[in-house]
Amino acid sequence: MILAIANQKGGVGKTTTVVNLAAALAARRKTVLVVDLDPQANATSGLGVEPAEGISLYGALLRIADVNDFIVGTSVDKVNLIPSEVNLAGVEIELARMEDHLHGVSKVLAPIVESKVFDYILIDCPPSLGILMSNALAAADAVLVPMQCEYYAMEGLSVILNLVERMRRTGANPDLRLEGIAMTMYSRTRLADEVVSQVREHYGDAVYKAVIPRSVRAGEAPSYGIPLVAYAPSTPVAQAYFILANEFLARERARAVAADKTDAVLPPKSSSQA
Ligand SMILES: Nc1ncnc2c1ncn2[C@@H]1O[C@H](COP(=O)(O)OP(=O)(O)OP(=O)(O)O)[C@@H](O)[C@H]1O
Ligand SMILES: [Mg+2]
């Protein structure tokens, strides 16, 4: 299953969500591949991998090499990575020139999906509405949108949700669904509370119950190259990401049951309940 973590707005917690969700899923015995699709390479360094020229999806997208050649290990057990590097920025131009410029990433990731080596593939998107992000949305089964608990965040949210809708409507990715909205960098203020309740009012169950608190620990984690979830699992931010991962897995299970109705036929209730 491919999950794109996307929001065209910068600094809302996309990368922090990618690396911590990956680590939390790994702690639940899932195998995860993180695909860093942002030339800033923050997810790459956040997982303890030094960005290196030539080691990114760039080569695979230009059909220079097999995509499997770019998968590397990270600081977290069971989390693998396709790193990013500055050259990835050039891919925007190369992709734009391709005939089917929206499906480059989807085609490159297809053999990895088919191999079923990974339970989840998480794509960290760059903060723009460019071709890389569109490619991520075209490749994904679902989108997770992190949004900061601040006043103007709602407007940004409608932009990304409209894009998701457009991917469906135009047929670029007819089955793309919104996996959920994760509220990030929450601080106990009246404004933050207002934003959270407004977003819940508008988007209902799409909003995760887990709210990620603001903490300096989250800000310093990238410099260690290990997600907070892995090196300080008892901190409030790490705990919130564990809850988010549990919700994510619960939604996945619910969807699997709904998709296969025959599996949903439950055994008869025990006689004590009759
Ligand atoms: N819960 C949090 N509390 C405090 N700081 C946080 C939290 N989550 C993320 N940060 C910090 O805020 C900054 C932006 O976070 P992050 O890089 O995850 O956002 P992003 O959406 O990926 O940014 P970009 O759009 O540039 O890719 C980083 O310095 C990060 O360490
Ligand atoms: Mg980022």
Side-chain angles (χ1 to χ4, degrees), residues 149-212:
C149 301
E150 57 171 40
Y151 197 70
Y152 291 109
M154 284 276 273
E155 292 165 27
L157 190 58
S158 60
V159 172
I160 174 82
L161 295 181
N162 284 339
L163 180 61
V164 170
E165 176 53 33
R166 196 158 73 230
M167 299 298 289
R168 278 198 291 258
R169 204 180 51 233
T170 59
N173 187 352
D175 300 323
L176 181 64
R177 55 187 163 74
L178 174 67
E179 161 60 39
I181 298 164
M183 308 292 301
T184 63
M185 300 187 216
Y186 170 82
S187 49
R188 225 172 268 283
T189 61
R190 211 181 64 184
L191 176 65
D193 285 330
E194 266 173 31
V195 173
V196 172
S197 65
Q198 263 188 34
V199 173
R200 286 200 197 285
E201 217 168 276
H202 260 81
Y203 298 100
D205 289 344
V207 187
Y208 292 105
K209 292 191 187 73
V211 173
I212 314 301

Side-chain angles (χ1 to χ4, degrees), residues 9-272:
K9 208 165 174 298
V12 298
K14 292 181 288 294
T15 302
T16 304
T17 299
V18 167
V19 299
N20 282 289
L21 182 59
L25 290 170
R28 300 284 308 270
R29 301 174 165 280
K30 306 295 180 190
T31 52
V32 184
L33 176 68
V34 170
V35 178
D36 191 348
L37 214 55
D38 184 352
Q40 295 181 99
N42 294 147
T44 299
S45 47
L47 286 167
V49 176
E50 180 106 20
E53 205 168 318
I55 311 295
S56 69
L57 219 53
Y58 187 76
L61 278 163
L62 301 182
R63 301 204 180 81
I64 295 165
D66 182 343
V67 66
N68 287 294
D69 294 348
F70 301 110
I71 299 178
V72 301
T74 70
S75 58
V76 184
D77 193 30
K78 288 171 111 46
V79 177
N80 285 290
L81 169 76
I82 296 181
S84 176
E85 41 135 351
V86 284
N87 279 335
L88 202 59
V91 160
E92 292 256 347
I93 299 156
E94 304 283 350
L95 278 170
R97 289 211 306 239
M98 286 180 189
E99 209 173 299
D100 188 4
H101 64 274
L102 275 181
H103 293 101
V105 169
S106 150
K107 281 178 193 155
V108 161
L109 294 181
I112 301 179
V113 174
E114 277 159 30
S115 75
K116 295 200 166 85
V117 171
F118 300 101
D119 296 311
Y120 297 104
I121 299 175
L122 308 186
I123 306 182
D124 190 20
C125 294
S128 71
L129 291 166
I131 281 187
L132 279 171
M133 163 132 128
S134 305
N135 262 264
L137 295 188
D141 296 289
V143 192
L144 191 160
V145 182
M147 71 169 280
Q148 229 172 311
C149 301
E150 57 171 40
Y151 197 70
Y152 291 109
M154 284 276 273
E155 292 165 27
L157 190 58
S158 60
V159 172
I160 174 82
L161 295 181
N162 284 339
L163 180 61
V164 170
E165 176 53 33
R166 196 158 73 230
M167 299 298 289
R168 278 198 291 258
R169 204 180 51 233
T170 59
N173 187 352
D175 300 323
L176 181 64
R177 55 187 163 74
L178 174 67
E179 161 60 39
I181 298 164
M183 308 292 301
T184 63
M185 300 187 216
Y186 170 82
S187 49
R188 225 172 268 283
T189 61
R190 211 181 64 184
L191 176 65
D193 285 330
E194 266 173 31
V195 173
V196 172
S197 65
Q198 263 188 34
V199 173
R200 286 200 197 285
E201 217 168 276
H202 260 81
Y203 298 100
D205 289 344
V207 187
Y208 292 105
K209 292 191 187 73
V211 173
I212 314 301
R214 183 183 287 279
S215 153
V216 287
R217 295 299 299 273
E220 68 192 24
S223 59
Y224 300 127
I226 308 172
L228 205 59
V229 153
Y231 86 84
S234 57
T235 54
V237 169
Q239 288 292 310
Y241 275 114
F242 278 117
I243 297 171
L244 183 72
N246 288 347
E247 275 185 80
F248 168 76
L249 290 172
R251 287 181 185 195
E252 279 295 290
R253 277 193 301 273
R255 208 162 2 251
V257 169
D260 193 354
K261 289 261 166 56
T262 52
D263 271 5
V265 178
L266 300 166
K269 291 249 166 76
S270 69
S271 55
S272 64

